[in-house]
Amino acid sequence: MSLATVFVSELAGTAVLLLLGGGVVANVLLAKSKGFDGGWLLINIGWGFGVMAGVYIAFKSGGHLNPAVTLGIASSGADEYAPGVAVSFGATLVYLAGQFLGAFLGACATYLTYKKHFDAEPDAGKKLAVFATGPEIRDYRWNLATEFIATFVLVLVIVSLGKTPSGLGPLAAALLVVGIGASLGGPTGYAINPARDLGPRIAHAVLPMRHTAAAVAHSPSLGAAAAPTAEETKDSSDWAYAWVPVLGPALGGIAAGLVSQLIF
């Protein structure tokens, strides 16, 4: 398999993952959405099925969709990332490039899907939450530990799936992500994927975020009349925190790969 095929496969799969994953967050958080206030479990399920869809689409490249998974497989001592794709520095870069670009494009597609709801949402924090994770209690050391642990579990189980013929395929990965979100996602929003957080965070930084509201304009002849106005309602993209959901998952994935050599 060519590395160009790997790149396109990972890009397409990760884009679908972020479209469905970001989409469920938008559905639950943004004003006037039919799924508004659907709750944490709905978000967990949406991300899980986003993983399943992305893995199916990226089957040619092994459906990594996540730099932590790619790094975990590399550190596990595996010879191949996917059938016909040897583990190498160049192949690793191709996987990561496809994943980060795919995540960015998937986040942009989520924005286009919910454009009118972004316009109707006055809370800038909710808009950022559609794209990127953030801690409930900000303590970078403990936030890093949370991401490390959650990603360690993710990658360790994914590596074990390759050695255990369960027959569940991508569904097993989907259920794993739902379980991690339900159990370990509370402190930080469980990025567990550097591309999932950084790509969409960049999208948030470059996309326009405006809140359209009716303002009252006064005219001496017409009296008060409603006129639509738009104002910027985008906070910063919280770059001070952005390193945590990149470094934590990367280290957790590598550690899981190394530990897998001892127990599998």
Side-chain angles (χ1 to χ4, degrees), residues 5-238:
T5 299
V6 169
F7 176 80
V8 172
S9 178
E10 288 293 310
L11 184 151
T14 310
V16 168
L17 164 62
L18 265 295
L19 173 58
L20 297 183
V24 73
V25 179
N27 195 18
V28 170
L29 295 185
L30 297 183
K32 301 183 182 300
S33 172
K34 291 184 181 296
F36 180 72
D37 204 23
W40 184 244
L41 187 57
L42 178 59
I43 291 176
N44 299 158
I45 294 170
W47 275 106
F49 283 112
V51 167
M52 184 175 71
V55 171
Y56 272 120
I57 288 173
F59 72 94
K60 287 185 177 180
S61 58
H64 295 190
L65 314 181
N66 183 342
V69 171
T70 302
L71 295 175
I73 293 173
S75 65
S76 72
D79 296 323
E80 293 183 322
Y81 280 133
V85 184
V87 173
S88 67
F89 179 73
T92 302
L93 292 181
V94 170
Y95 270 91
L96 269 56
Q99 291 156 3
F100 279 106
L101 181 57
F104 174 83
L105 295 176
C108 291
T110 299
Y111 173 76
L112 293 176
T113 304
Y114 281 90
K115 174 61 168 66
K116 300 302 292 183
H117 297 271
F118 278 107
D119 290 346
E121 176 56 63
D123 189 333
K126 289 184 178 180
K127 293 179 179 181
L128 175 59
V130 173
F131 294 90
T133 61
E136 290 299 303
I137 300 174
R138 187 171 295 249
D139 184 317
Y140 294 129
R141 293 171 300 173
W142 290 105
N143 302 150
L144 187 73
T146 296
E147 288 293 333
F148 177 94
I149 293 168
T151 311
F152 180 91
V153 173
L154 172 73
V155 175
L156 187 66
V157 176
I158 286 177
V159 172
S160 75
L161 291 176
K163 303 176 184 298
T164 306
S166 64
L168 292 176
L171 178 59
L175 295 174
L176 173 62
V177 169
V178 172
I180 290 174
S183 299
L184 305 175
T188 61
Y190 74 117
I192 59 174
N193 181 339
R196 170 265 176 274
D197 196 274
L198 183 58
R201 197 181 294 270
I202 294 172
H204 175 270
V206 302
L207 289 169
M209 299 283 171
R210 305 187 70 82
H211 171 53
T212 302
V216 176
H218 293 275
S219 166
S221 59
L222 299 177
T229 62
E231 60 181 7
E232 187 74 19
T233 57
K234 181 170 70 172
D235 288 339
S236 76
S237 299
D238 194 12

